[in-house]
Each structure stands twice: as C-alpha cells, then as structure tokens.
Amino acid sequence: MTDAPRTTFHSSLGLIHRPRRNRKADWTRRLVRENVLTTDDLIWPIFVVEGDNQRTPVSSMPGVERLSVDQAVEAARHAAALDIPALALFPYTDTDLRDPNGSEALNPQNLVCRACRAIKSEVPQLGLVTDVALDPYTSHGHDGVMEGETILNDESVAILVEQSLNQARAGADVIAPSDMMDGRVGAIRAALDAEGFLDVQIMAYAAKYASAFYGPFRDAIGTNAALIGDKKTYQMDPANSDEALREVALDLEQGADMVMVKPGLPYLDIIRRVKERFAAPTFAYQVSGEYAMIMAAAQNGWLDGEKAMIESLLAFKRAGANGILTYFAPKVAELLKKSA
C-alpha cells in the first residue's frame, strides 16, 4: 500500500505579513501575550453586617453575601490563601444607627473598625482598604450631610476627615474616599500626617460617575430605599471625559497615592486616559451592576460565565489598570491557581 499523495496548497495572496502565525498554537499565543491577569491584580470587596456566624445572601448579586465580623475574618484567611493582596470593606449599617449626619461613621466600634481590628489580628499580612463616605451611615443615603436638598461640601469634608482617622486608628492600610466632595483628599492627607499615619495610603475615587450600575451595591449596604433624590451634584456626569482628568489631577496634587475610576467596563476610555496622562497607580472598580449582569447572563445560559469574567478583567489590564476591585476576586484567584 502506498501513502496517499500529500495535497499542497499554494497561496495566491502573496502575503508577507500573516498575523495568524502568532496565534497558531497555545505556546505562541502565550509568548506574545501583551497583558496577563494575576492574583496580584485583585482587591476583593466584602460587605460586613452585625451578628455572629452570619452569611446573608445579597439577592441582586448572586454568590455575594454580607458577612458578620467573624465570617469576614474567615474571608480574609481565604483571600490570603489565594494570594489576593487586599480586601475592601463596606458596612451594612442597621437603620436605627443611621442619622442625618452619619454619626456612626465616627464610632470606634462601628462595623468597619471592628472588622479591621479582627482581620489585622488574625491575618496581618493582608491589606485593608476602607471606604470613606457617609452614605452607609446617613438616614438620607447621601455621601455627605445635607441642608434642605443641598449636599454641603466643606461640612461633609470635616466629618470625612474624622471618619478617615477613625479607620486608620482601627488598622486600615488604605483610606479610599468615595464621596466625591471637593478638597477631601488634601484634608484627609493633612489629618493623617498630623496624627502620625504617614504610611497610610489614600486611594482616591477620583473619577466616580453618577451611574446606574450601582443599584445592587446599594441593596448590599441597605441604602437603596433610604436614598433621597440622586447624587448628580457631586458624582460625575457620564457624558464627561476631560473632567475626569481634572479630578484626577486635583486628587494627585492633594496627596492621593492611587486613583480609581468607577464604574469599570463602561469607562475603559477614562482608565486609559488617566493612565497615559498621569502614569500613577490606577485602579478600576468592577461595580455591582457589572458583576450582576455577567452572573445573570451566565445563570441563564446566555454566556460562559467564567470566560466572560476573565475577559472582563483582562479588559481593565489592557486599558491600563494596575488593579481591579471585583466581587469575582476569589473565584478568579481559584481559577488562576488551578491553571498555574
């Protein structure tokens, strides 16, 4: 028996450049890959709630739970085992502790402070990022204090400064003001330095947009029902891009160590512009609405959830983000460990 003749194909295109050559096999795709996602890129946001041994599902965020402080410590241990560098903490404050001035934010025994102390005691190597804003603590659901329908800037900043000091005393490594009040970064930096917290970092929510993608997060911290009006007088207009650069410039001038763009995927252009203009550590927040959309589509069988998750996070890296706050963090880290 003779071998069948081998068919030879001849190209009539006369191509010198064939980009597909670099895509022909897994090994060459890996060699030429421009961006790589690792566990070092992840910050895991978690929600803390009162009680003991409590894990309460957030209905609009499948797979996400509110955790009591003891369970937050367990989450911290899990994060450390997965090589996730840091957690970001957000409280679900009982309604009877909320008032117009957000007074619970200044309580040294509030949920965030207790969680910081507990986690630092058990998992000291893990970074802790704490949110500075009054919305989890105010009865009206806004990030600052109000006079009538007006959010007062300077009066709010004075409270945010005290909130930042309260968190730093509890062991927070990174203070992350998300309120979008003018001048708060400089005021917080001055106060931290004056009290000796020279090494506590500031991650400024520098370009935070008045977005529809925050809905599930507000469910998670219990502010959806409380919110009076909207946040358009202090969060940014989604139509604006140049304004984001001005906001970032101001925060860096006032002492921000890192800046953040929020939301994430709808604002990849902003991430790219910020990184190219300032070359500063730049982070993205893959917010609750982005997470919920991917999870809902995956649960309905409309897309491959794991692939969509990884692709979405790679998009942040490609745009220039140094790291991503994402509720997918533990799931991604587990996948990355399996494939290592």
Side-chain angles (χ1 to χ4, degrees):
M1 178 180 288
T2 59
D3 293 338
R6 184 174 180 179
T7 304
T8 303
F9 295 96
H10 297 283
S11 171
S12 60
L13 296 177
L15 296 179
I16 296 173
H17 301 290
R18 290 183 178 270
R20 284 185 57 191
R21 282 193 285 257
N22 286 340
R23 304 180 200 136
K24 67 182 181 183
D26 178 67
W27 64 264
T28 188
R29 290 193 296 271
R30 286 159 51 207
L31 280 173
V32 301
R33 187 163 291 149
E34 297 173 34
N35 294 283
V36 178
L37 180 70
T38 76
T39 54
D40 294 338
D41 299 314
L42 305 174
I43 297 174
W44 181 12
I46 66 170
F47 301 104
V48 288
V49 68
E50 291 290 352
D52 295 309
N53 197 30
Q54 295 294 311
R55 303 182 73 94
T56 309
V58 179
S59 60
S60 55
M61 299 177 69
V64 173
E65 299 171 308
R66 302 183 191 97
L67 307 175
S68 53
V69 170
D70 58 315
Q71 293 301 305
V73 172
E74 291 306 310
R77 290 194 181 102
H78 186 46
L82 291 171
D83 294 325
I84 295 172
L87 298 181
L89 304 178
F90 298 92
Y92 179 93
T93 307
D94 288 343
T95 54
D96 59 355
L97 293 176
R98 302 182 190 192
D99 62 30
N101 294 323
S103 303
E104 180 66 7
L106 308 187
N107 178 4
Q109 297 302 319
N110 68 28
L111 270 169
V112 167
C113 291
R114 294 194 336 259
C116 280
R117 293 188 183 96
I119 292 170
K120 277 301 178 185
S121 174
E122 298 296 325
V123 197
Q125 73 275 24
L126 194 70
L128 292 181
V129 181
T130 52
D131 177 61
V132 169
L134 298 183
D135 54 327
Y137 307 101
T138 55
S139 50
H140 46 69
H142 280 284
D143 296 37
V145 294
M146 301 181 73
E147 185 176 274
E149 296 182 357
T150 300
I151 310 300
L152 302 176
N153 190 91
D154 295 14
E155 292 84 348
S156 297
V157 169
I159 300 172
L160 297 169
V161 166
E162 293 304 316
Q163 182 184 14
S164 301
L165 290 171
N166 192 33
Q167 294 173 353
R169 293 171 190 137
D173 299 292
V174 182
I175 299 298
S178 66
D179 56 286
M180 290 299 287
M181 298 297 128
D182 293 338
R184 89 277 202 208
V185 171
I188 290 169
R189 183 74 270 164
L192 290 172
D193 290 355
E195 197 159 315
F197 293 113
L198 303 178
D199 291 332
V200 171
Q201 297 154 273
I202 295 177
M203 177 188 286
Y205 287 62
K208 181 179 179 180
Y209 286 83
S211 172
F213 287 89
Y214 302 146
F217 174 90
R218 291 174 183 162
D219 285 341
I221 65 168
T223 61
N224 248 341
L227 181 60
I228 298 171
D230 57 48
K231 301 189 178 187
K232 293 180 181 179
T233 66
Y234 49 101
Q235 294 179 356
M236 286 181 52
D237 186 337
N240 294 351
S241 175
D242 291 343
E243 183 184 12
L245 300 185
R246 293 196 292 274
E247 288 280 6
V248 171
L250 286 169
D251 285 355
L252 289 171
E253 288 169 7
Q254 292 174 33
D257 301 285
M258 300 168 276
V259 293
M260 186 198 299
V261 175
K262 181 182 181 182
L265 285 178
Y267 297 89
L268 292 178
D269 60 316
I270 308 301
I271 298 168
R272 169 57 66 186
R273 291 194 71 187
V274 167
K275 189 64 177 180
E276 287 182 342
R277 173 70 68 88
F278 300 103
T282 303
F283 289 77
Y285 200 140
Q286 185 178 48
V287 299
S288 58
E290 298 172 64
Y291 172 88
M293 287 193 301
I294 292 174
M295 290 297 292
Q299 288 181 342
N300 279 283
W302 296 336
L303 51 72
D304 185 314
E306 287 188 357
K307 289 180 179 178
M309 171 182 70
I310 295 294
E311 185 177 338
S312 68
L313 296 178
L314 273 171
F316 293 117
K317 295 292 292 179
R318 192 182 66 246
N322 295 95
I324 309 116
L325 286 82
T326 176
Y327 304 98
F328 287 122
K331 186 178 293 187
V332 172
E334 287 167 3
L335 285 175
L336 292 173
K337 273 192 168 292
K338 287 178 183 177
S339 62

